[in-house]
Amino acid sequence: MSRKFEIFQKGRSENQLEAAHVFRREHVSAFEAALYNPFICLILQGRKEIHIGQRSVSLSPGDAFLVSHDLPVTAKILEASQEVPYRALVFSLDLAILRSLYEQVGDAVREETSASALSATRADPAYMLPMARYLALMDATLDAQVLGPMIAKEIHFRLLMSPIGGMLRNLLSVDSHASRIARAILRIKSKFREQLIVTELAEIAGMSQSSFHEHFKSVTGTTPLQYQKDLRLIAARELLMGGGHSVSSVGFEVGYESPTHFSRDYSRKFGFPPKTHLFGTA
């Protein structure tokens, strides 16, 4: 194991730096649905598989993956144990910090039509080293307050200019297709319980309906309707796992008008009916 990885391995899951944390899991898992917010993740130990739309990504120690938009995914821990747990360093991205770099680097980048909202590759020392320095500040309060923001900005810059930073480069401009889709995603997230009106989303994105559908799927790997459905089902699973709710009440809470429709979609998404999750048995 390289010295850089040794530094990351010492990280704790709780620290004074809001942007970074180490995720740990001691058991393999079934596929679980989740909403990924923008971040960079470095796999330290174990293996993981992620599905987004029709795409599958397998990750091993030393791999990194970057998420540029809020993405509903299904993910599975393939390799983990009490002796050698799955561990990953997660650093949350801030679009405001990213766009603060526009005046300095805007002329040096161009929109990339083939960029993906989830990019994976072998980790690059260009952003690994500042991430290690950022994590090393966890026990130094004053250093974290003074140096943390500067190192966080450096991490954003390194990712922006990296091979996996294509979609981040697309997000630099507030008028890019990537930024327009991000605005539509924000609207869906804030009103996912309500009826989806594609014409309104296309208007928010400043696109025709056909163009909006095309660009939305190119970014998220799915359609606006399926995206909303995924958000509803992820929220439903959290409510059911939390206890104290009936299946029908959860379905209505997340926006379904028909309990039968809710149960059918839930079973299709997770592989078993919602009542299975009432007591956290699956």
Side-chain angles (χ1 to χ4, degrees):
M1 181 178 293
S2 70
R3 172 59 182 164
K4 293 186 286 295
F5 276 88
E6 290 175 3
I7 293 172
F8 285 129
Q9 294 280 23
K10 294 177 182 178
R12 296 199 299 267
S13 60
E14 295 184 3
N15 57 70
Q16 302 171 22
L17 304 167
E18 294 182 355
H21 69 275
V22 176
F23 178 84
R24 173 190 174 101
R25 188 157 185 170
E26 296 183 351
H27 305 283
V28 297
S29 70
F31 277 109
E32 299 174 346
L35 179 66
Y36 279 0
N37 302 122
F39 62 65
I40 176 72
C41 178
L42 173 64
I43 308 300
L44 305 176
Q45 290 180 169
R47 295 189 300 115
K48 184 173 190 172
E49 183 176 326
I50 302 171
H51 288 189
I52 170 175
Q54 302 300 312
R55 183 182 171 205
S56 175
V57 178
S58 296
L59 300 155
S60 300
D63 288 340
F65 69 98
L66 185 148
V67 177
S68 61
H69 292 67
D70 298 313
L71 296 179
V73 304
T74 55
K76 179 179 183 178
I77 305 298
L78 299 174
E79 187 177 289
S81 67
Q82 290 185 340
E83 294 75 20
V84 185
Y86 171 83
R87 299 180 73 189
L89 173 65
V90 178
F91 181 88
S92 298
L93 301 179
D94 187 328
L95 189 57
I97 295 177
L98 184 74
R99 288 195 173 134
S100 71
L101 297 166
Y102 180 79
E103 289 189 2
Q104 295 167 291
V105 303
D107 292 338
V109 299
R110 296 289 183 269
E111 188 167 350
E112 298 183 22
T113 56
S114 61
S116 172
L118 192 155
S119 300
T121 186
R122 296 297 289 175
D124 188 336
Y127 50 78
M128 288 172 60
L129 291 174
M131 287 173 71
R133 285 190 279 111
Y134 187 88
L135 204 63
L137 299 175
M138 69 172 72
D139 294 320
T141 304
L142 183 59
D143 287 5
Q145 291 175 351
V146 175
L147 300 176
M150 291 187 285
I151 299 175
K153 187 172 184 178
E154 179 185 353
I155 294 170
H156 281 75
F157 169 71
R158 297 299 182 187
L159 290 171
L160 180 68
M161 305 307 292
S162 72
I164 61 173
M167 192 61 81
L168 295 185
R169 293 190 283 275
N170 290 351
L171 282 167
L172 268 185
S173 170
V174 295
D175 197 41
S176 67
H177 291 140
S179 293
R180 294 181 184 189
I181 295 302
R183 291 197 291 271
I185 286 174
L186 184 61
R187 177 60 174 267
I188 298 174
K189 284 181 60 183
S190 66
K191 298 182 180 295
F192 73 88
R193 296 174 177 86
E194 302 177 10
Q195 181 181 0
L196 187 73
I197 303 176
V198 177
T199 53
E200 291 184 359
L201 294 175
E203 185 176 347
I204 290 170
M207 301 177 183
S208 66
Q209 287 192 54
S210 60
S211 179
F212 173 70
H213 270 283
E214 177 185 352
H215 288 291
F216 191 94
K217 190 164 187 178
S218 70
V219 169
T220 66
T222 190
T223 65
L225 183 60
Q226 184 61 52
Y227 186 100
Q228 180 199 41
K229 185 182 294 184
D230 286 342
L231 293 186
R232 287 179 171 183
L233 295 173
I234 290 170
R237 183 177 186 274
E238 292 179 356
L239 288 172
L240 290 169
M241 294 293 285
H245 301 84
S246 67
V247 170
S248 59
S249 68
V250 167
F252 288 126
E253 172 67 22
V254 300
Y256 279 86
E257 297 180 357
S258 165
T260 302
H261 187 191
F262 167 60
S263 293
R264 183 172 61 249
D265 281 352
Y266 195 96
S267 298
R268 186 178 295 120
K269 178 73 173 177
F270 298 110
F272 34 74
K275 64 180 180 181
T276 308
H277 270 157
L278 281 174
F279 305 103
T281 56

